[in-house]
Each structure stands twice: as C-alpha cells, then as structure tokens.
Amino acid sequence: RYGGIALTLTALENELLSCRACSLVSYGRGPTSWTGVPSPIMFVGEGPGGVEDEYGVPLVGPSGQLLDKALWSVGLTRDKIIVSNIVKCRPQGNRTPTAAESQFCASRWLDKEIELIRPLVIVGLGNVPLQYFLGSDKRITRSRGQIHQLQNGIWFMPTFHPAYLLRQEGKDQIAAKWDVFNDFKAALGKMQEIIGEKELKS
Ligand code: URA
C-alpha cells in the first residue's frame, strides 16, 4: 500500500523545492521537504530553523536530535517514518510562523503530502500543527494527549514540540518528556488498532 507512490512524491518534492510562492523563501536558503519513507504514522513539526535551513532537511538541529531520541524510545527510527513540517521555509529570525503563513504553505504542500501518503495517524509537534489541524483557539498545554479524528478520517495526536522540552528544566522537563513518550505510545496504539481492524475485515 505504501509502495507505488514514490514517483509522485518525488515529483511533489521537486515542485516544492522550487516554490517561490511567498516571501518567506527570500530570507533563507529555500524550501525544505520531509525525511523518511511513507508510513502509517507521520510526524509534523513547525518549520525549519537555522540548522534545517542550512542543510535543507527538516528536524535535524537540536529539536530534531531530541525528536530522534523520543522516537527511539517507542521503537521508531527516522528511516521508517515520514517527518515533515507545516511551513517549508525558515521564518526570519526563527519566529513562529503566523496562522496565515501556515495556512498558505500547508494547504499548498503538506496537504498534498498527506493525500499521497495517506497516513493513519499524524502526530503534531507543538502549537503550529495543532492550530493548523484543529483550529487557532487551541493551545498545546491543554490539547496534548487527546487524539482527534480529522474530517479526512486521519487521526491527529497533538504533543509538545521538542524545542519546548529543551526550554524546560529539572522536574518539569522530565514530566514533559514523559508526556511526549505517552502521547507517542498512544498514537502508535491507535495506529495498531486501525491496522488490526483492517486485517479483521480483509
Ligand atoms: N523545528 C521544527 O518544527 N521543524 C524543523 O524542521 C526544525 C525545528
């Protein structure tokens, strides 16, 4: 099922890498796409930071390294899953992308990735994906850990962004890391549940 779409994803990536549709592109080195291979669980961050802009790859800086550890803790590695971002270009000075920028970019690119990949579960890292998928009134501290089914049938699990974990200290950091671990576990559990149901039906 996740096999025959590589060519179309490659075409989409080539289009994305030459995107000049908004002004964000003029501040950095250009759009970044995703890492990994199509998988039933997908992870979505905010947008590239300095390191990502330099290498042209999402989530490879300090946040990406912590994400790798969190993934490892639930038995996942970056080569087996897709990791992508809401916005593809680095906002100047690493500011948080606006709702308008998220909407403009993700409806152009991320939505098409999702259409091609058809993941069963999307894990959103932080406020930016949470607000894109569930609405601008949502806050990660209240919404994390609660899985929602989107209109397209895909399940969405909001959790903390790794940069948030890196800003916490002491006991707060330990608690927030456990939250992320439990959210990843619950998202994987939902994925297994759906795969199990499909097998029963077929
Ligand atoms: N933070 C994100 O959300 N995405 C990146 O690609 C890098 C840092």
Side-chain angles (χ1 to χ4, degrees):
R1 167 160 182 233
Y2 295 99
I5 64 173
L7 275 180
T8 31
L9 263 184
T10 305
L12 182 68
E13 186 171 37
N14 285 334
E15 245 182 88
L16 160 61
L17 295 178
S18 58
C19 180
R20 299 290 179 270
C22 84
S23 63
L24 284 189
V25 72
S26 53
Y27 301 117
R29 300 192 186 191
T32 56
S33 59
W34 53 83
T35 60
V37 293
S39 50
I41 189 163
M42 175 172 186
F43 292 77
V44 176
E46 176 180 314
V51 180
E52 289 77 17
D53 187 51
E54 190 177 333
Y55 288 97
V57 180
L59 283 148
V60 289
S63 286
Q65 289 176 15
L66 185 53
L67 174 67
D68 291 353
K69 286 194 197 173
L71 290 170
W72 182 254
S73 75
V74 296
L76 296 175
T77 50
R78 288 279 290 267
D79 56 333
K80 303 268 166 38
I81 52 160
I82 285 255
V83 175
S84 194
N85 273 320
I86 293 284
V87 300
K88 306 305 193 187
C89 292
R90 183 188 187 213
Q92 203 176 15
N94 266 355
R95 65 172 173 77
T96 305
T98 64
E101 287 165 344
S102 294
Q103 189 62 41
F104 185 84
C105 187
S107 62
R108 235 180 186 78
W109 300 112
L110 182 68
D111 284 359
K112 289 182 190 151
E113 294 161 40
I114 292 169
E115 246 171 66
L116 286 172
I117 297 162
R118 293 297 306 167
L120 302 173
V121 179
I122 295 173
V123 178
L125 308 172
N127 272 313
V128 171
L130 170 66
Q131 292 173 358
Y132 180 69
F133 287 105
L134 297 183
S136 57
D137 58 322
K138 295 284 191 282
R139 296 293 175 269
I140 197 67
T141 41
R142 282 174 168 265
S143 296
R144 67 139 280 277
Q146 297 165 35
I147 198 161
H148 287 259
Q149 195 164 26
L150 304 174
Q151 298 222 321
N152 57 13
I154 297 172
W155 290 84
F156 178 77
M157 172 63 96
T159 194
F160 292 131
H161 192 285
Y164 172 84
L165 301 181
L166 290 171
R167 287 195 303 271
Q168 304 298 306
E169 290 172 354
K171 284 184 179 169
D172 290 344
Q173 188 184 57
I174 292 173
K177 283 183 174 176
W178 277 108
D179 286 339
V180 170
F181 172 80
N182 288 319
D183 297 346
F184 280 16
K185 276 273 185 208
L188 274 173
K190 175 57 82 177
M191 180 195 91
Q192 291 298 352
E193 183 189 315
I194 305 168
I195 292 173
E197 282 167 11
K198 285 188 175 174
E199 278 169 2
L200 275 182
K201 279 185 203 145
S202 62

